[in-house]
């Protein structure tokens, strides 16, 4: 049984109105923004699932629904076999011991008025584990590579990478089974990114925790993930093992994303063929008919405008939502 299962998860937001209140009314075209559209995924214990896509594709909204920071419009979320999308009160609070989050910005995710030891003690106090808090705080700081003596300092006394380590320590305070990492290294320098990614890998090996790693950089996701799910305009369009996705992308959008990843080998970089997508990301309030990627796809055919492609398992064990790729696989 998977640790986390999500089935047909969808999230709609009301479209913003103007200062004077004008705009489409509920029930009219454009009144809703579909941030996440019929997404189904699963994560096994101790596994890292990378979710990648450009800004606005619904990655962070997906992560927040799993944590129940926002409620889904429809769909099912199962954690350890229990449906959690409707949990309330004490049951929801108990569930949140098992699922934690590390936010993108280490500067705004820590309360500047609290010392580090107070930040790390807060989840322990909320969950009634105050008795051994001092010992646990020392363990957590050591675990993420910081001196326990730093517990008396304020967040502004740390660098960006150190603050993110504190955020990771806070997420691990209650020994969760799953941590949602919402672009945890995108605000850090490249050299610091590598250190944090290595730390996360080490922690996972030692603790057996599962990660949902959200990012827009495929190179970063490939470094840490066991499997990857590629999202575009709220939908998952390709999933597979990280090495498979990176070495042999199937969906045209995945190919375009990978073509933008620079190669450290200068000779290969000069010969690399980059795919430049035309046009802008369509609006979530008025997506194109059929395949939402077709307006930017250089391979699009008539069927792409007429039918929404389903996420289909092909013979090589990959799931791809593309009419042309799936037709080619079925004919092989």
């Amino acid at each position: 049984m998977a640790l986390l299962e999500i089935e047909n998860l969808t999230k709609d937001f009301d479209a913003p109105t103007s200062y004077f209140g004008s705009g489409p009314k509920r029930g009219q075209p454009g009144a809703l923004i579909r941030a996440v559209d019929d997404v189904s995924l699963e994560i096994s214990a101790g596994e890292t699932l990378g979710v990648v896509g450009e800004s606005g594709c619904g990655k962070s909204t997906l992560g927040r629904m799993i944590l129940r920071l926002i409620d889904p419009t429809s769909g099912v979320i199962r954690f350890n076999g229990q449906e959690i999308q409707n949990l309330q009160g004490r049951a929801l609070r108990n569930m949140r011991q098992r699922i934690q989050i590390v936010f993108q910005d280490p500067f705004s995710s820590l309360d500047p008025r609290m010392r580090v030891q107070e930040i790390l003690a807060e989840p322990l106090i909320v969950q009634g584990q105050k008795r051994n808090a001092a010992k646990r705080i020392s363990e957590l700081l050591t675990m993420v590579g910081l001196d326990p003596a730093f517990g008396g300092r304020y967040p502004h006394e740390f660098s960006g990478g150190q603050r993110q380590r504190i955020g990771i320590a806070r997420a691990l305070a209650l020994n969760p089974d799953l941590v949602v990492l919402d672009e945890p290294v995108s605000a850090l320098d490249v050299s610091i990114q590598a250190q944090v990614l290595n730390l996360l890998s080490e922690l996972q090996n030692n603790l057996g925790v599962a990660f949902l790693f959200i990012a827009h950089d495929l190179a970063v996701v490939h470094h840490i993930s066991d499997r990857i799910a590629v999202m575009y305009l709220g939908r998952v369009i390709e999933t597979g093992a990280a090495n498979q996705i990176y070495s042999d992308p199937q969906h045209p959008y995945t190919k375009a994303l990978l073509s933008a990843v620079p190669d450290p080998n200068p000779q290969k970089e000069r010969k690399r063929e980059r795919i430049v997508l035309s046009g802008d990301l369509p609006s979530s309030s008025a997506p194109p008919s059929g395949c939402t990627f077709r307006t930017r796809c250089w391979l699009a055919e008539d069927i792409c405008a007429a039918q929404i492609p389903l996420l289909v398992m092909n013979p090589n064990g990959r799931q791809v939502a593309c009419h042309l790729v799936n037709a080619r696989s079925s004919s092989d």
Side-chain angles (χ1 to χ4, degrees):
M1 182 180 65
L3 176 67
L4 177 77
E5 299 172 276
I6 58 175
E7 295 179 4
N8 309 116
L9 207 60
T10 297
K11 180 60 181 178
D12 294 330
F13 292 101
D14 291 330
T17 57
S18 70
Y19 179 80
F20 298 100
S22 62
K25 306 301 181 185
R26 183 176 289 272
Q28 295 179 341
L32 293 176
I33 295 174
R34 178 149 291 183
V36 175
D37 188 3
D38 197 31
V39 168
S40 297
L41 291 170
E42 63 179 42
I43 304 175
S44 300
E47 180 186 39
T48 298
L49 174 66
V51 178
V52 67
E54 57 193 307
S55 298
C57 73
K59 307 183 301 294
S60 294
T61 301
L62 176 64
R64 282 162 169 72
M65 281 194 289
I66 291 169
L67 286 148
R68 289 291 312 282
L69 297 178
I70 56 177
D71 292 327
T73 301
S74 63
V76 175
I77 308 171
R78 292 191 190 91
F79 185 72
N80 274 331
Q82 178 188 16
E83 293 191 10
I84 66 172
Q85 72 274 7
N86 296 316
L87 290 182
Q88 300 293 333
R90 183 182 295 274
L92 178 60
R93 188 174 69 181
N94 291 339
M95 181 277 294
R96 282 180 171 155
Q97 292 187 63
R98 315 313 317 155
I99 309 177
Q100 292 289 312
I101 185 170
V102 175
F103 294 98
Q104 175 179 359
D105 186 1
F107 297 92
S108 61
S109 61
L110 303 177
D111 191 330
R113 298 165 298 179
M114 297 175 68
R115 299 179 189 272
V116 168
Q117 59 196 16
E118 296 172 315
I119 291 171
L120 298 182
E122 189 171 32
L124 300 170
I125 294 170
V126 168
Q127 296 293 343
Q129 301 178 25
K130 183 179 179 179
R131 178 177 298 178
N132 297 316
K135 179 181 178 182
R136 181 59 177 158
I137 291 167
S138 179
E139 291 174 351
L140 289 166
L141 288 172
T142 302
M143 191 185 300
V144 297
L146 295 176
D147 189 333
F150 291 172
R153 297 184 182 182
Y154 289 95
H156 73 266
E157 299 179 74
F158 296 89
S159 67
Q162 289 175 323
R163 291 189 205 192
Q164 197 60 295
R165 288 172 185 262
I166 295 167
I168 294 169
R170 178 176 59 184
L172 296 174
L174 298 170
N175 290 312
D177 299 313
L178 173 67
V179 176
V180 176
L181 300 156
D182 189 5
E183 305 218 30
V185 297
S186 63
L188 307 178
D189 293 339
V190 174
S191 59
I192 305 301
Q193 287 183 12
Q195 294 176 20
V196 173
L197 290 173
N198 291 334
L199 171 65
L200 290 170
S201 296
E202 180 183 341
L203 291 171
Q204 186 174 49
N205 290 334
N206 293 337
L207 304 176
V209 62
F211 291 148
L212 176 68
F213 192 95
I214 297 169
H216 61 269
D217 187 338
L218 256 174
V220 169
V221 172
H222 175 243
H223 178 77
I224 196 170
S225 300
D226 300 302
R227 291 187 300 116
I228 293 175
V230 182
M231 290 186 69
Y232 182 81
L233 210 65
R235 298 182 70 91
V236 173
I237 59 168
E238 182 171 359
T239 67
N243 289 334
Q244 282 185 319
I245 294 284
Y246 202 80
S247 63
D248 182 29
Q250 298 288 301
H251 197 284
Y253 177 64
T254 311
K255 293 180 179 180
L257 283 181
L258 278 168
S259 77
V261 178
D263 195 303
N265 185 318
Q267 293 182 343
K268 291 183 178 179
E269 175 64 18
R270 282 193 292 268
K271 297 177 182 178
R272 181 171 61 94
E273 182 180 350
R274 183 169 181 183
I275 300 171
V276 179
L277 297 177
S278 61
D280 296 323
L281 188 72
S283 170
S284 299
S285 60
S289 62
C291 175
T292 53
F293 183 62
R294 67 175 177 81
T295 57
R296 306 171 74 190
C297 181
W298 63 99
L299 301 174
E301 297 183 359
D302 292 343
I303 190 175
C304 302
Q307 298 179 18
I308 297 175
L310 301 177
L311 195 64
V312 176
M313 182 77 74
N314 59 29
N316 60 11
R318 306 272 285 283
Q319 286 185 305
V320 184
C322 177
H323 293 300
L324 306 181
V325 172
N326 293 330
R328 186 170 65 247
S329 298
S330 61
S331 64
D332 290 343

